[in-house]
Every structure is written in structure tokens, then in C-alpha cells.
């Protein structure tokens, strides 16, 4: 059974979106939150879990967390940025796009 959760370190700024499968950590996203902005730096799924849609589960948790906490996401992670660009309408409420 898969489950996800958002965990912050002691300083409350840096943390992870963590994904567990059968109580074993299967993947994570490295994040930080400050000034109403959620930055996502990196998405990682352990090799043994690749191809099972786990990165998407992490992304869904990230977006839900941002929506619940009224945060805008800055996608510094290539995976998240690619998903945002592929489905801009789906993520328009949380995606903080750079202004040129």
C-alpha cells in the first residue's frame, strides 16, 4: 500500500514529500517553503519502484499540499517543470511562472 506525506526538518523551511510503499521509503521530493512559495528541487524514486507511477503520486501530494496551504510552486525540478508545461491548465492555480 502506497502513502505519501510532507515532512519538514526542524527549521520548518526545508523538507520532503515522502512516498512509502509497504512501509519502505520508495521516493521523495526535496522542497522548501518560504514567503508563500514552495520550491521543489528534486524528485527521486528508488530504482526498484520505477515505472509504477510513483513520481506522479509525489507530484499529486505536492500539489495538494500547495493548494491546502495557499502556496505557489516554483518548479526547479526538471520532472515537475515538465509536468507543469505538459498540463498547464491542470496546475495553473499553483504554478508560479517567471515573468520575463
Amino acid at each position: 500500500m502506497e502513502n505519501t506525506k510532507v515532512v519538514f526538518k526542524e527549521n520548518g523551511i526545508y523538507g520532503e514529500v515522502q512516498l512509502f510503499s509497504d512501509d519502505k521509503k520508495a521516493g521523495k521530493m526535496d522542497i522548501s517553503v518560504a514567503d508563500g512559495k514552495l520550491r521543489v528541487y528534486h524528485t527521486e524514486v528508488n530504482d526498484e519502484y520505477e515505472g509504477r507511477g510513483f513520481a506522479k503520486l509525489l507530484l499529486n501530494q505536492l500539489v495538494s499540499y500547495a493548494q491546502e496551504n495557499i502556496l505557489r510552486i516554483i518548479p526547479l525540478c526538471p520532472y515537475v517543470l515538465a509536468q507543469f508545461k505538459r498540463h498547464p491548465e491542470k496546475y495553473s492555480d499553483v504554478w508560479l511562472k517567471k515573468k520575463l
Side-chain angles (χ1 to χ4, degrees), residues 9 17 21 35 46 63-64 68-69 75 77 96-98 100:
K9 297 181 174 120
V17 179
S21 180
D35 302 321
N46 297 346
V63 170
S64 293
E68 291 167 10
N69 292 280
C77 166
L96 182 61
K97 294 182 184 179
K98 286 185 178 179
L100 300 175

Side-chain angles (χ1 to χ4, degrees), residues 60-74:
N60 291 343
Q61 179 62 40
L62 177 82
V63 170
S64 293
Y65 182 83
Q67 290 168 331
E68 291 167 10
N69 292 280
I70 312 168
L71 300 169
R72 300 296 302 260
I73 298 173
I74 300 173

